[in-house]
Amino acid sequence: PKTVARIAAGEVVERPASVVKELVENAIDAGSRRIDVEIRGGGASLIRVTDDGCGIPLEDLPLAFTRHATSKLSSFDDLNTIGTLGFRGEALGSIASVADIEVTTATAGGISGSVLALRSGREDTIRPVARSCGTTISVSQLFREIPARLKFLKSDGTETGHIVTTVSNYALAYPEIRFRLTVDGRESLATSGNSKLRDAVAAILGRETSARMIDLSGNDGAFSINGLVSAPENSRANRTGMYFFVNRRWVRSQILSRAVEEGYRGLLTVGRYPIAIINLSLPPYDIDINIHPAKTEIKFREDGKVFEFVRRAVRSVLLGEAP
Ligand code: ADP
Ligand code: MG
């Protein structure tokens, strides 16, 4: 691949966890009920994501690796109402420019499945293969030809940690999907896909934590919130137990963390933080849509309104009042 392609790829592919994020998002967008993620060597040697989604039609397969080729956006107006996680059409092309990729896929209507391999961005011929409906994408030897980026990777343990976090976030955001993560041949996490957030939380944060969480739900006009929050006595010593999803995307937000903490005002000992898994649904109009792939920090059109909505919802459930 050309240098330009590699530089651009750096925007999407920062580390192995960014590859996992893009592949998992594609699997979710494909309507999958099961998503299996397998990694080796912190993801640098191998990342393999298998789904049971709609598959990639044979005629689209070569196109899937062309940057800015996407099947998900048909007009610019769609940007305001995107119902899919991906829409830029750059992930697969970017990954292919910095790693070897093999895609095995089959659609419901297809005569047979197909397999396509790209080594250092050079395409192989597409061969037929037998498989059930869905897609498997294997990414190996990430950054092999880019020593500067390879050097930037942290230890296998650290990179694995980032991947565990990424998969955990999606498993919490999509409790109706059965997720499994295997690290160097050992199962690291598995959710049931039974749609119950509490069960997904049990699989990821532990049964005991999950059993002690309090249901949160509420709405105000076009805003709605649901999730689980910890009883004040089950607090944590840091903020790592707070997860936020806005319109089903994992986001980072100071506004949201502070709103939750304000909801606990006077109920927690100083230096303790709540555990909270919070899904917010807001009209797209109220969100400053974030076009940059690497950023997860969300911006709201009216910070104060969102803050107060979340604070109040948390406060009232903790005090056992109707919101
Ligand atoms: P985007 O997600 O922004 O459309 P990507 O580069 O991530 O772009 O993917 C390119 C295209 O490849 C997608 O639009 C989709 O049509 C197809 N695709 C990728 N992964 C999958 C998958 N797991 N299942 C079905 N189709 C997929
Ligand atoms: Mg995508």
Side-chain angles (χ1 to χ4, degrees):
K2 302 258 153 53
T3 312
V4 183
R6 282 187 185 162
I7 291 169
E11 302 247 308
V12 177
V13 188
E14 192 195 339
R15 58 177 356 133
S18 0
V19 173
V20 171
K21 169 183 184 285
E22 296 296 339
L23 299 183
V24 167
E25 287 190 351
N26 283 343
I28 294 171
D29 284 344
S32 307
R33 313 296 312 175
R34 293 183 72 140
I35 301 177
D36 276 6
V37 181
E38 189 189 329
I39 63 161
R40 291 193 180 272
S45 350
L46 176 74
I47 295 167
R48 178 178 292 139
V49 176
T50 300
D51 69 53
D52 64 354
C54 64
I56 308 175
L58 180 58
E59 61 274 22
D60 294 350
L61 198 48
L63 256 184
F65 295 96
T66 311
R67 284 167 58 86
H68 304 294
T70 175
S71 60
K72 297 172 193 167
L73 206 61
S74 44
S75 77
F76 191 71
D77 283 349
D78 286 0
L79 269 179
N80 293 317
T81 51
I82 319 165
T84 52
L85 295 166
F87 56 87
R88 300 176 200 89
E90 23 181 56
L92 286 188
S94 300
I95 296 166
S97 70
V98 295
D100 295 338
I101 296 199
E102 189 184 81
V103 183
T104 309
T105 187
T107 58
I111 297 157
S112 84
S114 321
V115 51
L116 170 63
L118 287 94
R119 205 176 148 79
S120 302
R122 277 183 299 276
E123 256 180 61
D124 222 9
T125 46
I126 298 175
R127 287 174 292 119
V129 69
R131 71 155 288 158
S132 54
C133 205
T135 303
T136 299
I137 301 193
S138 307
V139 174
S140 50
Q141 307 300 331
L142 182 65
F143 299 146
R144 179 188 49 199
E145 294 180 14
I146 313 163
R149 300 211 66 113
L150 205 53
K151 219 173 66 189
F152 164 84
L153 293 184
K154 301 284 190 291
S155 70
D156 283 9
T158 301
E159 296 300 338
T160 297
H162 287 293
I163 292 170
V164 172
T165 303
T166 301
V167 177
S168 301
N169 288 339
Y170 287 103
L172 289 172
Y174 293 86
E176 73 277 29
I177 298 175
R178 184 164 164 181
F179 280 92
R180 190 171 60 170
L181 171 63
T182 309
V183 176
D184 296 317
R186 266 197 18 257
E187 182 176 283
S188 157
L189 72 86
T191 59
S192 71
N194 73 355
S195 298
K196 296 196 180 107
L197 176 60
R198 197 179 282 277
D199 288 348
V201 170
I204 287 156
L205 301 177
R207 296 242 150 251
E208 217 160 295
T209 299
S210 163
R212 292 188 191 149
M213 303 284 282
I214 305 167
D215 281 297
L216 169 77
S217 78
N219 59 73
D220 184 3
F223 288 12
S224 76
I225 187 170
N226 73 74
L228 293 166
V229 292
S230 55
E233 61 273 23
N234 298 317
S235 59
R236 276 204 173 173
N238 56 50
R239 289 191 169 88
T240 59
M242 287 196 270
Y243 299 81
F244 299 102
F245 305 96
V246 174
N247 297 347
R248 310 207 80 189
R249 283 171 193 269
W250 176 73
V251 297
R252 268 186 248 265
S253 163
Q254 292 256 336
I255 298 286
L256 296 178
S257 321
R258 281 202 278 112
V260 170
E261 287 170 36
E262 271 303 303
Y264 281 80
R265 180 182 276 275
L267 302 173
L268 291 177
T269 321
V270 178
R272 302 293 296 181
Y273 299 91
I275 304 168
I277 297 91
I278 293 191
N279 291 296
L280 269 177
S281 159
L282 307 177
Y285 174 70
D286 282 289
I287 300 164
D288 183 356
I289 181 168
N290 172 357
I291 308 288
H292 193 281
K295 287 191 186 135
T296 48
E297 182 87 30
I298 193 170
K299 295 209 167 55
F300 302 107
R301 202 167 49 83
E302 290 182 84
D303 275 358
K305 231 172 93 179
V306 175
F307 178 92
E308 191 48 24
F309 173 67
V310 172
R311 186 201 66 80
R312 194 184 295 250
V314 170
R315 189 80 184 160
S316 51
V317 77
L318 292 176
L319 300 182
E321 298 162 355

